[in-house]
Amino acid sequence: MTPPAVILVRPQLAENIGMCARAMMNFGLSEMRLVSPRDGWPKKGARQASSGASAVLDNAKLFETTEEAIADLNYVFATTARERGQMKDIFAADEGAGRMLALAGEGARSGILFGPERMGLSNDDVALADAIISFPVSPAFKSINLAQAVLLVGYEWWKLVSGGGAPIAPTRSSPPATREHMLAFFDYLEGELDAVSFFYPPEKREVMVRNFRNIWHRLAMTEQDVQTLRGAVASLVGSRNGTRIKRD
């Protein structure tokens, strides 16, 4: 499945091109096309700003015009924060990514136009696109950095391609505590609390113990948790009794 091409139209700063490359590699986009960069190409500063995404920069293709950059594509999206009055479909980034994925599944090539940092895409550039992608940002401040725009679209693309699950999972170095281990801890802890008359008045002890145990059960403790808590209680008891707890 071929990812969409990222087309930077008249980008102004080499550093922004580098940051776009970084955003692309973060989310599985590899094809960068540059349309008439203001300061030429290649340009010093892009590689450093890419933070290691050199493969995207090394394979970036240079074009004189937007028309040339999209000539081999079947479907083109234009990113803009402004309504252009051009009667095109307008998608949020997630909807646009869904459309790109569907196109890729049909064997069609798609691309996304991103405009220059200062003014964005011209109306003539937008006119070359089939649809518009716009971002649901605060109406009080709609300006988005070029690399941020690339990252937002790339993120939505990669969510669909990867399934959208978290890339890491919590690790458990200690197994869940057994009932035997938990009950032994309860007996020990409650015995020490009885020694300081914690469960008072006596006629409420049964309810208090039950509530107390339910607190610990809700924590879903591991064997290590129980050992640590028992050691902490033992230290407090030893301190109260003037006995220092020795640790290995």
Side-chain angles (χ1 to χ4, degrees):
M1 185 175 296
T2 305
V6 171
I7 307 157
L8 306 184
V9 180
R10 298 180 296 280
Q12 297 170 341
L13 299 176
E15 290 79 6
N16 284 340
I17 297 174
M19 287 188 285
C20 286
R22 179 180 184 177
M24 289 172 63
M25 284 203 73
N26 282 152
F27 300 112
L29 303 176
S30 58
E31 185 177 356
M32 174 183 281
R33 302 184 182 189
L34 303 174
V35 177
S36 190
R38 184 186 67 180
D39 299 324
W41 186 258
K43 190 65 177 177
K44 183 179 179 181
R47 194 171 298 276
Q48 291 87 339
S50 75
S51 296
S54 301
V56 171
L57 298 177
D58 291 341
N59 294 306
K61 299 175 183 177
L62 187 62
F63 299 88
E64 287 294 323
T65 67
T66 306
E67 289 87 346
E68 293 172 350
I70 64 174
D72 64 325
L73 301 178
N74 305 109
Y75 199 97
V76 176
F77 298 85
T79 57
T80 179
R82 303 191 306 276
E83 198 282 316
R84 304 300 186 104
Q86 297 196 25
M87 298 299 291
K88 297 180 185 292
D89 289 334
I90 300 177
F91 300 112
D94 56 343
E95 296 171 324
R99 178 69 176 134
M100 294 172 205
L101 188 63
L103 289 164
E106 297 167 1
R109 290 297 321 276
S110 63
I112 316 148
L113 298 174
F114 296 88
E117 293 89 324
R118 186 176 180 184
M119 297 297 295
L121 293 169
S122 69
N123 285 332
D124 289 339
D125 290 321
V126 175
L128 297 171
D130 298 282
I132 288 173
I133 288 178
S134 193
F135 306 105
V137 296
S138 168
F141 192 71
K142 296 182 179 181
S143 175
I144 293 180
N145 176 275
L146 176 58
Q148 290 176 325
V150 173
L151 184 142
L152 286 171
V153 176
Y155 171 72
E156 296 296 347
W157 163 264
W158 188 248
K159 270 205 312 183
L160 294 177
V161 172
S162 67
I168 56 176
T171 57
R172 186 186 289 271
S173 57
S174 177
T178 64
R179 294 301 89 183
E180 180 183 19
H181 202 179
M182 291 284 289
L183 291 173
F185 169 64
F186 293 157
D187 289 341
Y188 169 69
L189 179 59
E190 290 155 14
E192 295 299 338
L193 290 173
D194 278 329
V196 294
S197 301
F198 176 81
F199 298 114
Y200 184 85
E203 60 270 20
K204 292 187 177 181
R205 184 184 187 282
E206 182 177 349
V207 173
M208 293 177 72
V209 166
R210 187 182 305 121
N211 291 340
F212 206 67
R213 292 189 177 199
N214 283 334
I215 292 172
W216 299 111
H217 282 308
R218 286 196 295 271
L219 297 179
M221 292 193 294
T222 66
E223 293 284 350
Q224 183 60 57
D225 293 335
V226 174
Q227 293 173 11
T228 299
L229 286 169
R230 182 161 186 149
V233 174
S235 293
L236 291 172
V237 172
S239 176
R240 186 187 68 213
N241 295 334
T243 304
R244 185 177 180 83
I245 304 299
K246 294 183 178 180
R247 301 185 184 279
D248 294 334

